[in-house]
Amino acid sequence: MSGDAYGFDCVVQRSSKLIGGDQARLTVDLTRPDATFPFRTRLWKNPAAMSYLADGAAGAVDDRRAWVMLPASCWDKIPSSGANASPVLELEVSNGTADRQALAATAVHAARQIAGDVGCSAPELSRPVRLQGPAEKGGAGRTDTANACGLKGFRLPDSAFFDGEATPGGERFTGTGASAWACTLDLDGPAEPQLTFALSQDRTLTKFAGGDPAVADRDGVALLECADGTAYVSMHRNDAYEDLLLDNKVPGDRWNDPSVPSPTRWRRSWTAARWPEHRGDRRTGHVAAGAANFPVK
């Protein structure tokens, strides 16, 4: 482990007198991802099954991984690997699982220690750690194609499905009360195609994403200006679904069919179901009038 507050990775391994079997191992690493980080990297794998910090810092946890983003006041105090990078503390458990509350508390404590060592103000890291996990009721079940992800009016077009390869299946989405929300559609099919929708209104994360002009040009993501703050939204198709789009392409027709799940078109449909008053995003300069039905706090 390095003596620098920001130049380290750390491995903790539990010892045992029992012979045989791998020992549980906790790896702690301070990384500097770029603006593709929100909902896109391995730390966000299966975001609808994660628990999110409900107060204070931006972060999430599952049974094996946790991450906490250091607040903006620390960004210029910790050397970065690029102009649009931000320090993120990552914890990962191997050869076992961890209690989510305990793992989240460990991550927040470590992030608070780093912030103190480099001399940046981080009151959000001093608040009690409270998690909001997947919805307990109605958060998992079969997809209603007319009201997907529990959103009234979020309709999945028939052309989004492929007979025998991708048909309406299950869905999982997170509960309310945190600054992030996610929904994964697990389509039925041998290749296990998936579509994931996610959003965050956390100020640290949206400031981070907004610091990179390329965010506005990436298909499937957007920063929406709402009456109560900025929201980062993302739609992701897994490789299996991307392959189906290619395999089932009809020359000159199907690929450009407006009902096929283009991230941009679906983002607009999803946004319209989530915010009926919304009229655009930073790509067009429009501002959402409100977010009365926003799924997070």
Side-chain angles (χ1 to χ4, degrees):
M1 177 173 175
S2 167
D4 294 335
Y6 47 78
F8 76 90
D9 57 26
C10 174
V11 177
V12 179
Q13 184 165 321
R14 183 178 62 189
S15 61
S16 174
K17 294 182 180 180
L18 297 178
I19 298 176
D22 295 328
Q23 301 301 312
R25 183 183 181 100
L26 175 65
T27 301
V28 183
D29 191 14
L30 186 63
T31 65
R32 298 156 189 82
D34 62 21
T36 62
F37 167 71
F39 302 116
R40 295 275 173 148
T41 65
R42 64 180 181 82
L43 281 178
W44 298 84
K45 184 178 181 181
N46 198 7
M50 298 186 80
S51 298
Y52 295 86
L53 295 179
D55 299 300
V61 62
D62 62 16
D63 296 338
R64 296 179 181 272
R65 299 162 296 151
W67 64 265
V68 176
M69 181 176 285
L70 270 69
S73 60
C74 300
W75 295 356
D76 62 352
K77 295 182 180 296
I78 298 178
S80 171
S81 59
N84 297 307
S86 171
V88 174
L89 187 69
E90 303 178 7
L91 278 69
E92 186 164 2
V93 176
S94 55
N95 303 326
T97 60
D99 175 78
R100 293 191 180 197
Q101 183 70 34
L103 190 59
T106 301
V108 171
H109 175 80
R112 184 169 62 246
Q113 184 67 45
I114 293 171
D117 288 346
V118 300
C120 58
S121 175
E124 53 267 68
L125 295 173
S126 297
R127 299 175 185 174
V129 176
R130 186 171 66 86
L131 296 176
Q132 173 59 60
E136 294 181 1
K137 295 182 179 180
R142 302 296 291 180
T143 299
D144 177 357
T145 58
N147 302 285
C149 295
L151 302 180
K152 184 177 181 180
F154 182 30
R155 182 176 297 276
L156 307 181
D158 292 341
S159 56
F161 305 109
F162 303 94
D163 290 343
E165 296 176 300
T167 57
E171 66 179 27
R172 294 161 289 138
F173 52 87
T174 55
T176 60
S179 60
W181 177 90
C183 173
T184 296
L185 303 178
D186 296 308
L187 304 180
D188 287 341
E192 300 183 349
Q194 283 186 338
L195 296 167
T196 298
F197 301 87
L199 63 85
S200 175
Q201 208 175 19
D202 180 86
R203 292 180 180 179
T204 300
L205 191 148
T206 55
K207 181 177 181 178
F208 172 48
D212 185 358
V215 170
D217 297 325
R218 292 207 313 272
D219 201 10
V221 300
L223 287 166
L224 309 182
E225 295 296 346
C226 303
D228 55 352
T230 303
Y232 178 96
V233 299
S234 169
M235 178 237 173
H236 178 67
R237 305 177 298 204
N238 73 348
D239 290 343
Y241 195 92
E242 292 282 2
D243 290 344
L244 287 175
L245 289 180
L246 291 171
D247 293 343
N248 289 273
K249 176 180 175 182
V250 176
D253 180 24
R254 182 56 180 268
W255 191 252
N256 296 314
D257 184 342
S259 58
V260 169
S262 155
T264 300
R265 286 190 291 266
W266 276 45
R267 175 175 52 77
R268 292 171 181 167
S269 171
W270 174 41
T271 301
R274 188 67 275 171
W275 295 292
E277 300 90 350
H278 177 67
R279 293 295 182 270
D281 56 38
R282 286 190 184 176
R283 298 185 186 188
T284 61
H286 292 168
V287 178
N293 295 319
F294 195 66
V296 300
K297 66 177 181 180

